Amino acid sequence: MPANESGPSVKKKGRRARLLVLVLVLALLAGLGYGAYWSVDTVRASFPQTTGSLKVPGLTGTVDVKRDEHGIPQLYADNDEDLFRAQGFVHAQDRFWEMDVRRHMTSGRLSEMFGSGQVETDAFLRTLGWRHVAQEEYDKKLSPETKKYLQAYADGVNAYLKGKSGKDLSVEHAALKLTDGYKPEQWTPVDSVAWLKAMAWDLRGNMQDEIDRSLMTNKLSQAQIDELYPPYPFDRNKPIVEGGTVSGGKYNPQGTPGSGSTGTGRGTGTGNGTTGTGTGTGTGSSTTPGAGSQATPNGATGTTGLADNATAQGATVGLRTQLGSLAKTLDEIPAILGPNGSGIGSNSWVVSGQYTTTGKPLLANDPHLSPQLPSVWYQMGLHCRATSPQCQYDVAGYTFSGMPGVVIGHNADIAWGMTNLGADVTDLYLEQVRPEGYVYDNKVVPFTTREEEIKVAGGKSKKITVRTTNNGPLISDRSDELETVGSRAPVPSSAPDRGDGYAVALRWTALDPGKSMDAVFKLNRAKDFNSFRAAAADFEVPSQNLIYADNKGANGNIGYQAPGRIPIRNQGDGRLPAPGWDPKYAWKGGRDGNAGYIPQNEMPWELNPARGYIVTANQAVTESAPAGTGAAPGTGTGTGAGSSAGTSTGAGASAAAGKYPYALTTDWGYGARSQRINDLIEAKTKDNGKISTDDMRAMQMDNSSEIAALLTPMLAKIQVSDPDVRSAQKLLEGWNYTQEPDSAAAAYFNAVWRNILKLAFGDKMPKELRVEGSCMNVSEESTGPNDDLTKTVRECGTRGPDSAQPDGGDRWFEVVRRLVKDEKSPWWTATPKTVHDKPIKTRDELFARAMEDARWELTAKLGKDQATWSWGRLHQLTLKNQTIGKEGPGFMQWLLNRGPWNVGGGEATVNATGWNASSGYGVTWVPSMRMVVNLGDLDKSRWINLTGASGHAYAGTYTDQTEMWAKGELLEWSFGKDAVDKSTKETLTLKP
């Protein structure tokens, strides 16, 4: 156990008052179980020592831990291993509960902490096998240097843990020890590596869209589904990079395609059911109803939700049952970073010194993640007292507790930020299962299997068998509903016999071992754009947009790199589940021996674009060539997937008119936030204007609503007879479309928007997409005719509140933008509220109904007096401890959770305090931190975290940054030694 060589740490201002309150609370709870054993000592026992000195086994020299008034530590050491050993120690001091829960989640062992209620979650996570992949990465992929750092970090965590348990670690551990005698085990390097798998899971791309599109086929035609997933509006919202293409095996940011060579096309062709078109050599697949990858059975207008022709129109029920159950399972998996859906993402942008007040670049970043307590981020500086080959780091920024290094931030030479690229890196495959294996390429192949034992606190262990195909693990094995789907599961015309039904396998890039952990350390050491790009090449999962800035030259340099392991598909576009038995649908990077991810040299990048800035906010990276164009110039033949084969010739990438030859995804964010940032930058730099650090901060807090700007003028013209509704309508007059927390107009508009979405789209969704508790009368499913004898049944939604549809993200902005000019679109129809009302048949009638419903909804929530209405009262942020704070005893939730805060911003707004329109107005994701890096003077950079440095519920730095975060304020960010010394309030020396 580390020896305490000096007195206790200096306690933060205000802590004593909280503890006195807690004494009274615990006294009241003394007869309720936990409280009988608790005291102020229980709460304070885990507070870390932050002054004086401690002995830490394994150190070869001293390490200084200097904390500012917010408890943010800057570490100073003489060699790399001591630096990362100290990082592990300090992370454990402040955040070990968070770290302990994370490692149990990533390894599928939550039941060991929380009991039988987590067995199903553990079984699903064991099936995914994150821990196994992390172990394989550590054993076979990571560099010796990275392994050395990971081991040093683990040694630091374990030095802190030595001799501690229960209340010595956290209030939460104290609660667990009282109930189950839980004692944490030693930290390992693989615990750190596995965290990247959780990060990749929550940023996995379009898997939810793939499920949702298939589920929609129960009630909607393919044409209707296409209307709900419109193409990206390149004509209005700029992609990240423009004008680049691939030539000679490399991406050229400003180049044009080469010519004169012959190559094989990598895309799919298109067909109209009679002929296919394509380029290169390959198989075309139709994008037109009636044939190809989204074809309908026998040319019908409905669809099966399969990436091929189906033989039985009624077969959709089996697939819908499978995917509906899978969606429910996904809802129950802990989302450490946040919900996975439309509108979720991040902002980052960088402005050249040519357009800044400092003459050097300014770089901003604010990742949008789930609101958590403590924040998923931990601010920290890692400094070598003197950089050398033995001590290479001088870096600061945002770290993940449980993982060494800095994830987002800057060093002395460069700064970088991240947003989710959103590449399509997951595919679902239907698998034909036989007793002896699964069908692939007309053969029965044995499963790869492994046995897993799930230990349960206070209960009997459970055993499961994980089955894996060449496409990935059978995730359908983890649901009773999915074990057998019977003969109704949809199949393509070439499918094998149904047998006992179909299973669902997941193919996902993160389930192949990679080197993303190597990339973290390389980024931390990068000195220039070339070394930055070299580091990015190893950042395989999750695929992120990386922006860059340095201070070299007259104005510094700005840049961008799209890294990541992104698959090339043989056939199909990844939008719908594919037949796993057909080799044509396997990834070219599949486990069947083919190799084919997009080469890193051919991934988009740019350096110092002429426009002088780069914006990434989950919009399209670049405009890809249409389906059917190849990656290399040349001609070839393609076979259409329609009712008869077709042949075509084309010019490969040359035919793409300079567009990017690979398909990254079709499910981008739609660019509402990114284009607003573009517009703000252009407005500020017009007529030789310059952008300051505070301008960047103000842009991060921009609350403008794109959908409000589109719809408010229309809503203002609606004829309203009810005086109370008319009074609410007047709130919109003169409104500037900004969603400030005190705005009554923003509250009313967002309520109208929510009701428009419900009436036009939500009530037309299948139950698997509607939010839980949303019930309506529908016609009973039948294979017979829809006549007057058809029975009506009560049907309720089954989707969790974070992923229900329509969620109101910027995809829905684009859907409504495209439909709003058609006043009589079928989408504007709705059932009457009562038998005495007329059915709604037009846009304006539906808008009027939405305005009326919104008025009475806000009356119920906020009161009849509109003078008391405000957006912040509806749109509240509550910070919840991610485990006991959500599902523990009520008094524990009261002790651990904080809030609410009334906040501004909203869905697909730059200040992205997101909410799901299907389930309510509460904040579901947030800018989890904000930073602005000043490359002209790093000590004038600014940052803020959502909560605070500490994970201890009654520490003074538990949520000390939240109020400032809510107001859009940023803290000073000291980096240089003199600045750090000036801001230091407490110093702890770690000794060998």
Side-chain angles (χ1 to χ4, degrees):
M1 182 176 180
N4 185 347
E5 296 186 352
S6 61
S9 63
V10 177
K11 302 303 178 185
K12 300 290 184 287
K13 183 168 62 176
R15 184 180 298 166
R16 184 174 299 276
R18 293 187 182 91
L19 292 174
L20 290 174
V21 171
L22 188 59
V23 170
L24 299 176
V25 172
L26 293 176
L28 291 173
L29 295 170
L32 302 180
Y34 293 116
Y37 300 91
W38 285 25
S39 65
V40 172
D41 176 67
T42 301
V43 176
R44 297 180 63 167
S46 60
F47 289 0
Q49 179 179 333
T50 54
T51 62
S53 62
L54 287 170
K55 287 185 177 179
V56 176
L59 288 177
T60 61
T62 61
V63 179
D64 292 325
V65 181
K66 300 182 178 184
R67 294 178 183 259
D68 67 9
E69 64 179 313
H70 298 284
I72 299 170
Q74 304 286 336
L75 278 54
Y76 289 85
D78 292 319
N79 63 75
D80 294 340
E81 288 177 84
D82 278 359
L83 192 60
F84 293 119
R85 185 174 285 106
Q87 184 181 19
F89 186 91
V90 173
H91 272 166
Q93 277 189 307
D94 281 336
R95 298 285 191 93
F96 184 69
W97 169 254
E98 175 189 23
M99 294 164 62
D100 203 15
V101 172
R102 281 182 185 172
R103 66 165 164 180
H104 280 80
M105 191 273 287
T106 57
S107 57
R109 296 170 54 205
L110 290 169
S111 299
E112 295 178 22
M113 297 183 78
F114 304 112
S116 59
Q118 296 299 320
V119 169
E120 293 300 322
T121 295
D122 282 346
F124 187 83
L125 294 170
R126 296 281 187 102
T127 300
L128 291 177
W130 293 348
R131 176 76 183 197
H132 290 276
V133 179
Q135 186 70 57
E136 192 173 356
E137 286 184 359
Y138 184 79
D139 292 341
K140 300 178 181 179
K141 291 288 186 178
L142 298 181
S143 70
E145 182 180 55
T146 294
K147 291 182 180 181
K148 180 174 67 175
Y149 297 157
L150 287 165
Q151 186 60 61
Y153 181 90
D155 291 345
V157 176
N158 293 328
Y160 179 74
L161 292 180
K162 188 175 181 181
K164 292 184 173 69
S165 64
K167 69 177 184 179
D168 300 324
L169 295 171
S170 71
V171 168
E172 296 93 334
H173 281 105
L176 281 184
K177 191 172 182 181
L178 285 173
T179 56
D180 293 311
Y182 173 81
K183 184 176 181 180
E185 61 190 32
Q186 293 281 288
W187 193 267
T188 72
V190 179
D191 291 333
S192 297
V193 178
W195 164 237
L196 286 173
K197 300 304 170 188
M199 180 180 174
W201 176 253
D202 284 349
L203 301 174
R204 62 191 178 272
N206 75 336
M207 181 174 166
Q208 192 68 60
D209 288 323
E210 188 174 338
I211 293 171
D212 289 356
R213 276 190 288 263
S214 295
L215 292 172
M216 285 178 184
T217 61
N218 178 46
K219 297 190 73 171
L220 304 176
S221 71
Q222 186 60 50
Q224 289 174 315
I225 295 171
D226 289 344
E227 286 185 306
L228 301 186
Y229 287 88
Y232 185 87
F234 286 100
D235 59 333
R236 191 176 68 255
N237 295 342
K238 296 177 182 178
I240 297 173
V241 298
E242 300 176 84
T245 189
V246 173
S247 178
K250 294 183 179 181
Y251 183 82
N252 184 346
Q254 300 298 328
T256 56
S259 60
S261 61
T262 301
T264 300
R266 298 179 188 265
T268 58
T270 61
N272 59 13
T274 304
T275 60
T277 64
T279 65
T281 302
T283 301
S285 59
S286 174
T287 57
T288 306
S293 64
Q294 297 178 16
T296 59
N298 303 320
T301 56
T303 64
T304 67
L306 263 181
D308 210 320
N309 289 4
T311 57
Q313 194 166 2
T316 58
V317 176
L319 180 62
R320 193 174 82 252
T321 301
Q322 287 181 313
L323 295 180
S325 182
L326 175 58
K328 189 173 186 298
T329 300
L330 296 178
D331 274 343
E332 294 171 355
I333 301 303
I336 285 185
L337 299 183
N340 188 279
S342 172
I344 302 167
S346 306
N347 301 323
S348 68
W349 67 94
V350 59
V351 181
S352 167
Q354 181 180 355
Y355 297 106
T356 68
T357 57
T358 67
K360 297 291 185 181
L362 294 171
L363 184 150
N365 196 189
D366 55 287
H368 306 157
L369 304 173
S370 175
Q372 298 189 30
L373 184 60
S375 166
V376 70
W377 300 109
Y378 184 92
Q379 296 151 290
M380 178 178 272
L382 302 172
H383 308 277
C384 290
R385 293 189 177 98
T387 55
S388 68
Q390 290 73 42
C391 202
Q392 307 172 72
Y393 295 89
D394 188 16
V395 61
Y398 294 86
T399 71
F400 286 139
S401 302
M403 198 178 91
V406 171
V407 179
I408 295 174
H410 70 81
N411 58 33
D413 298 292
I414 76 163
W416 69 94
M418 297 183 188
T419 62
N420 193 25
L421 192 149
D424 186 357
V425 296
T426 59
D427 276 342
L428 296 175
Y429 286 89
L430 282 187
E431 301 286 2
Q432 169 62 26
V433 175
R434 300 285 179 83
E436 63 273 26
Y438 62 97
V439 176
Y440 183 71
D441 197 17
N442 296 315
K443 301 180 183 67
V444 178
V445 182
F447 289 109
T448 299
T449 63
R450 68 176 187 271
E451 299 293 324
E452 297 272 357
E453 182 179 8
I454 300 173
K455 297 180 181 180
V456 182
K460 185 178 179 181
S461 296
K462 307 289 185 181
K463 291 185 177 180
I464 64 170
T465 299
V466 176
R467 301 188 294 174
T468 301
T469 74
N470 65 304
N471 289 314
L474 290 186
I475 55 178
S476 55
D477 281 352
R478 301 282 71 85
S479 168
D480 291 340
E481 285 186 77
L482 299 181
E483 287 182 357
T484 56
V485 296
S487 61
R488 298 187 71 189
V491 296
S493 55
S494 59
D497 292 338
R498 285 186 171 86
D500 292 330
Y502 292 92
V504 179
L506 171 65
R507 183 77 171 99
W508 178 32
T509 55
L511 297 184
D512 294 338
K515 299 184 293 183
S516 294
M517 199 68 238
D518 285 346
V520 173
F521 296 112
K522 289 182 179 180
L523 274 175
N524 287 193
R525 297 192 305 262
K527 301 292 186 184
D528 52 30
F529 190 60
N530 287 336
S531 53
F532 164 80
R533 291 191 66 209
D538 286 338
F539 209 106
E540 295 167 329
V541 291
S543 185
Q544 299 289 287
N545 295 305
L546 297 179
I547 60 168
Y548 167 93
D550 68 38
N551 56 12
K552 298 172 177 62
N555 299 122
N557 298 289
I558 63 173
Y560 165 81
Q561 175 69 60
R565 183 187 288 157
I566 301 173
I568 302 170
R569 293 169 175 83
N570 281 306
Q571 186 165 315
D573 58 11
R575 288 171 58 85
L576 293 167
W581 51 81
D582 190 341
K584 293 194 299 292
Y585 288 89
W587 289 3
K588 290 192 176 183
R591 294 181 177 85
D592 55 0
N594 295 323
Y597 294 106
I598 299 175
Q600 184 62 33
N601 283 343
E602 299 182 15
M603 290 289 287
W605 63 274
E606 64 181 351
L607 179 66
N608 296 325
R611 63 183 175 276
Y613 61 89
I614 300 169
V615 175
T616 82
N618 315 110
Q619 78 271 41
V621 171
T622 186
E623 188 168 5
S624 295
T629 58
T635 62
T637 59
T639 304
S643 58
S644 61
T647 306
S648 68
T649 60
S654 296
K659 295 178 182 178
Y660 188 63
Y662 297 102
L664 299 175
T665 186
T666 57
D667 291 309
W668 304 110
Y670 282 79
R673 285 179 287 107
S674 62
Q675 193 56 44
R676 176 62 177 172
I677 297 167
N678 282 323
D679 292 344
L680 290 171
I681 293 172
E682 291 179 2
K684 193 67 182 179
T685 56
K686 185 179 180 181
D687 300 326
N688 297 316
K690 302 290 184 179
I691 293 177
S692 67
T693 300
D694 193 60
D695 290 330
M696 299 282 275
R697 181 204 62 80
M699 291 178 192
Q700 289 178 323
M701 294 302 295
D702 183 81
N703 286 329
S704 177
S705 169
E706 178 188 285
I707 194 64
L710 174 69
L711 295 184
T712 298
M714 298 180 188
L715 297 173
K717 296 177 182 178
I718 300 294
Q719 295 298 312
V720 175
S721 58
D722 187 305
D724 289 318
V725 179
R726 174 60 186 145
S727 176
Q729 184 185 36
K730 286 183 177 181
L731 293 173
L732 303 179
E733 296 176 3
W735 181 44
N736 63 357
Y737 318 130
T738 59
Q739 301 167 99
E740 302 300 330
D742 61 353
S743 171
Y748 182 59
F749 173 81
N750 282 315
V752 174
W753 170 237
R754 168 171 144 83
N755 281 278
I756 287 173
L757 290 170
K758 178 182 182 297
L759 293 168
F761 308 106
D763 290 347
K764 300 176 179 69
M765 293 285 176
K767 65 181 180 180
E768 294 87 354
L769 271 70
R770 298 202 312 272
V771 70
E772 292 172 331
S774 172
C775 299
M776 56 192 301
N777 295 325
V778 299
S779 297
E780 186 177 37
E781 286 188 16
S782 171
T783 57
N786 186 14
D787 53 30
D788 290 342
L789 298 181
T790 301
K791 295 181 180 178
T792 298
V793 297
R794 192 69 170 165
E795 182 187 79
C796 296
T798 62
R799 182 64 65 85
D802 287 346
S803 59
Q805 294 295 332
D807 61 15
D810 64 354
R811 172 165 67 87
W812 294 100
F813 289 14
E814 189 64 19
V815 168
V816 171
R817 181 185 295 279
R818 288 168 175 264
L819 292 174
V820 77
K821 293 181 181 179
D822 182 359
E823 297 184 20
K824 296 184 178 181
S825 166
W827 291 107
W828 301 130
T829 61
T831 56
K833 183 182 294 188
T834 71
V835 294
H836 303 293
D837 296 326
K838 294 180 180 179
I840 294 171
K841 296 183 178 180
T842 69
R843 180 199 68 195
D844 286 355
E845 289 175 357
L846 187 139
F847 282 10
R849 164 76 179 276
M851 293 170 70
E852 179 183 349
D853 290 353
R855 175 49 164 117
W856 302 121
E857 181 184 6
L858 293 197
T859 297
K861 290 181 179 294
L862 303 179
K864 187 173 182 179
D865 184 1
Q866 293 172 193
T868 67
W869 290 5
S870 71
W871 175 227
R873 287 183 62 201
L874 276 181
H875 191 52
Q876 292 185 324
L877 169 66
T878 299
L879 295 174
K880 296 182 178 182
N881 177 288
Q882 291 300 289
T883 50
I884 296 176
K886 285 189 172 182
E887 299 182 2
F891 88 90
M892 282 293 292
Q893 294 186 38
W894 185 85
L895 291 174
L896 297 175
N897 299 340
R898 298 292 183 272
W901 284 266
N902 297 349
V903 298
E907 183 68 30
T909 301
V910 179
N911 181 23
T913 54
W915 54 287
N916 187 306
S918 286
S919 55
Y921 303 96
V923 176
T924 56
W925 61 87
V926 294
S928 55
M929 61 81 160
R930 299 187 185 101
M931 75 173 190
V932 179
V933 181
N934 182 336
L935 275 296
D937 185 345
L938 292 171
D939 290 326
K940 292 183 179 179
S941 300
R942 299 291 183 265
W943 61 352
I944 197 77
N945 205 350
L946 174 65
T947 62
S950 181
H952 300 290
Y954 283 85
T957 57
Y958 189 48
T959 55
D960 64 317
Q961 298 185 50
T962 307
E963 188 68 28
M964 292 177 285
W965 172 92
K967 295 177 180 178
E969 298 172 4
L970 298 177
L971 301 174
E972 293 184 357
W973 182 354
S974 300
F975 179 73
K977 188 177 184 306
D978 291 344
V980 169
D981 287 344
K982 185 177 180 180
S983 63
T984 296
K985 301 299 182 183
E986 298 177 325
T987 300
L988 173 68
T989 300
L990 304 180
K991 296 182 177 181

